[in-house]
Amino acid sequence: MMLSFEGQFRRRPKVSLRGASKQEDTSVLLQRNLEERRKREAERRKLRSTVVIQSFVRGSLCRLHFKAEQRAQWDARQKQMIAGKLDAQELLELQRILLSYYDDKSDEQRLTWLCQTLLKQQGIVQELITRQRVAWMHQTKRLLYLCSNLLQSGTRGTMAMPLRIIEVLTDTSTYTRGGAMTEEVATDVILDMYSFLIARGYFSILRSLVNERLPPGIDITTKAPMAETVLELVLRPVILASKSEAHGKERKIVICALCKELLSPAYTEQVSGFLLPAIAASKPGIPVDQLLHALAPANHILEQSVNHLEVEPSPWLLHAIMTLVSPVLSTLSSESILQYLHILKVLLPLLPGLHTMEMMEVDSDGEEEQAMNITMGDSVSSLSEIREHCIQQLNTPVHVQCLVSTARSKGHQSAVLIALCSICHSLMLEHRLHVPRTRLLYTLAFSEYFLRHVWETIKSVSTVGVTGSHKPLIQTLSQGLQISVDDSRRIVPLLSVFCSLFGHLLLSLHDAEFYGDDDGTGHRSLMPFKLSELEEMSLLLRNACIGMIELAHPETRPIITEDYFGAMTAPGEMPDTDQNAEIAKWTHLFKVTALLVKQLHDRDTRRKFCRNDEHWLARNIPLFVDKARGQRIHQPRLFRPRRLHFLSTNMAGPDEEERPVSTQEARRNTILAEIPFVIPFQDRVKIFHDWIYKDREEMQGSDFGGFLPGKSIDIMIRRNFIYEDAYDRLRPENEPNLKKKLRVMLKNAQGLDEAGIDGGGICREFLSQLLRTAFDPNRGFFKTTTDELLYPNPHAAVLVENFEEHYYFMGRMLGKVLYENLLVEIPFASFFLSKLLSRHLKVDIHHLASLDPLMYKNLLFLKNYDGDVSDLALNFTVMDDNLGESKVYELKPGGHNILVTASNRIEYIHLMADFRLNKQIQPHIMAFRNGLADVIDLDWVRMFDHQELQVLISGASIPIDVSDMRRHTNYSGGYTEEHPVILNFWRAVGDMNEKQKRQLLKFVTSCSRPPLLGFKELYPAFCIHHGGQEEDRLPSASTCMNLLKLPEFHDEETLRTKLLYAIESEAGFELS
């Protein structure tokens, strides 16, 4: 045998006489060895586990045995102390023993006896404090912790003792009695105890005690002993920590723990109904200035990128802080108010927004909650109530006055403005509060100081570039560059709030105030900026809008399909709310910025304040419009203006079969929809005509300009009854698609067919005469302003019962004129065209000047009237003359009984203007606009303002450029540019007055005004054709081809006489 060192032996190998063993494969051998190693390792782990388990069991048994011995020893000493005299040292030892082995289930009675003994033997406690202070304090902290735990696990009958012992041992009088300690030392000792308890959930225990031991209906008026004791235990550590500035560290720990464990979690009825109101009403209570300082240290406020608090934020914490701060807000220092602003800035976005609340209502199993009008003292617990209560608090006069006055303070002005703008931004973005209905927003909108300094802050707030230089964020935004999240928090609220508030202010400023005119009344203007400053502002804001459009459509971006989003979003989960919030933030910013830019542009259009005529134009926008004469290159699909959408996941259009939109095209289309005026008018006209051309090509075929028959509408019209016949034949019931080619046969006054085949010219004359007849004020559908401009007759319903159908028809016919690229000389009132272009059918008070200048002047007088407005004896009614019959309308319900006063005159002015501009003619406008939209896409027309639309309809009121007309004229039939007759013709045209030139142009093209983009855009081109050798013939025209048939007059005077006779005869097509 061979012995091993472990005392085991190994036998000698046995030799088998059966022959050689079977050959074993290498892989099998290795696998077998691996399995054997695993088995050996498993055996070793089992052995180690056995040792650990045995060790744990032996240790547990030993501890149990030791604790049993300690309990027996404690019980024996307890009996001795009960039988004999109590000894301070012995009591301290008993306390030490109990703390070493205490168990909730076994030792609750022992702890109760010990606490009762301490409460009864106050002298022993004083002796221990004096002689054994360190040991006593060390053990007392743990004793209080055990008692606080007993508050959670104990029964109602055992509540009194733990509460009493905590109340006694945390009272400074316990330690100062008999001169054992000074007040300061006692405070330090108790705060040390509280630090130990707070680190172990002291306020959470008290909150559980409130929720479990107090009835749900309890309120602040209830004088329950348990409630008063709990309130005192909540306030005591805060009051103690607030006694001295030396306890700043302890104070911060106490306040942060109280907010985190007591005020931040969702409210229960006990907390909202009793605890929070009781804390707010307690005297002394929580020092509000120290509360604000603990949550928002000064260094956080000055560092603008910091956007958090010292505790985890929650909507309930916001409500609690506002409840505690509101009663003393007017007494706080400017530094405390600044800290309060910072807290509101951080916490207000946590309130559920209006969209979130709507989603919560949808998800509430269809149960409709009754609307609750919450007063300031009511109990609140649900998120909807929290939201309503906080917004009401923020909108109180005290809050508004305090916040607005803080904005005027000199210290930390930038931090104040950013915080205040963040609050306002959250109110408008998340909660969709409107400026005129929110006291805070409305007050700030009329604060010149606030608006000026916010704008200065917007221009000055900057970021550090790669080179270390400071670059204004507004400039970075204008260049379409991405900005960081921290930078967006600094610039977005400022810019958004400024544009919203200043835009609202502009609605209330009439032109005299805006332009700084002296109206002689001595009334102080509310305009915070000079015209030169507005010029700079409009340029910066215009560039910012273009930059945001570039951000929304970057040069390179991944194409993420809906399938990808579906795969990345688990079933039942919502998409990334942070991304949705970011999209909503930038979309809101662009919306309000673009709206302000449009308001400034409208003012400049009405009356110039920008010195440069090309101030609004952005020249670096690709238009994709071919400028070569006679050629048009079209995109493979019809593009349209599109509203801005940030971070869209792909570039495809709404039709999956259409090709994707490129970045440049997407930017252009967005600009055309949002801020079209940055593109020159001539370029927009080219785009408009290009889109019309493409659509007309699809609807009428490629030969719409010729004589070949196609999809057409053939009608017979009597010239003397042109409106009646057209209305009957072209009604939607008879011709639903007015985009088809229109062929017209005219009958003269004698009932005979007029000569000529309609290749387009007769149709043009028909449309021109039809619209003149339809818009004739004598027909009654339209009236004229004092400037002889047309607008719908408010009393058309008296004349025609189905007046809306007539307005729909006239809208369709005007759309047909635009669709056929014709010009009709019909002057419309500016407010009428503005309402056609508006998306909400309402225009502001400034357009009243074009409708009723006298009323506009009187309303401005009322606005600036310094006397007693009630002396004017006005009420909220208006008298209207309805075809000789006077009728009184109420501007608001009960308007007869509401007098106009200084406080409500602004409302009266806006209601009066709204009645005249909007309500009286709203059905007329709706019908007319619907008819126009039946032929022309309104988004195409909205690329123009009301003045540009008038030019698009009637052409520009500019002199006819004969040289331009001559350069773009063709000749045929033997005529050339150097032919003597042609030379005489142009000399005769050059000698004509402007009226005669327009008659000539109308004779040849059926329109007296030149093309918008010059004669190079006239299609077909102006052409002079040889009209024969007979000099007794008059010149004739084919307006469908823009062709003048000029006989060969050898004498210039004869040519002039015959030409003037032909163009002044106005004989229609019968000369052709």
Side-chain angles (χ1 to χ4, degrees), residues 587-603:
T587 303
H588 175 76
L589 174 63
F590 178 84
K591 177 182 176 181
V592 296
T593 307
L595 182 59
L596 178 57
V597 174
K598 291 175 186 176
Q599 288 180 281
L600 294 174
H601 177 262
D602 289 343
R603 293 275 188 170

Side-chain angles (χ1 to χ4, degrees), residues 542 546 613-614 616-622 678-680 682-683:
R542 182 209 70 180
I546 297 176
D613 292 337
E614 298 185 353
W616 297 98
L617 302 181
R619 295 293 184 179
N620 58 342
I621 301 174
V678 305
I679 297 177
Q682 293 80 3
D683 291 337

Side-chain angles (χ1 to χ4, degrees), residues 68 93 106 131 157 209 253 344 346 417 440 462 550 626 628 678 702 748 847 865 867 870 963 970 985 999 1024 1058:
E93 181 63 19
S106 306
R131 298 183 178 180
L209 182 64
I253 293 174
L344 291 179
V346 176
L417 292 178
L440 176 61
S462 61
E550 293 176 355
D626 182 67
V678 305
S702 58
N748 60 18
H847 289 280
Y865 185 62
S870 59
S963 60
N970 297 333
F985 170 81
Q999 289 174 330
I1024 303 177
K1058 296 281 188 178

Side-chain angles (χ1 to χ4, degrees), residues 919-932:
K919 290 184 178 179
Q920 269 194 314
I921 57 176
Q922 183 169 350
H924 311 65
I925 299 293
M926 281 291 296
F928 192 95
R929 192 167 77 169
N930 290 336
L932 178 65

Side-chain angles (χ1 to χ4, degrees), residues 130 162 165 216 265 300 358 381 466 494 498 510 516 531 623 629 700 773 793 924 979 991 1021 1025 1029 1065:
T130 305
I165 194 68
H300 280 195
E358 292 172 355
S381 56
V466 179
L494 287 170
F498 173 80
H510 56 80
L531 294 181
L623 299 178
R629 179 182 179 273
Q700 301 179 3
T773 305
N793 183 1
H924 311 65
H979 194 283
D991 293 338
H1025 181 74
Q1029 299 291 338
S1065 64

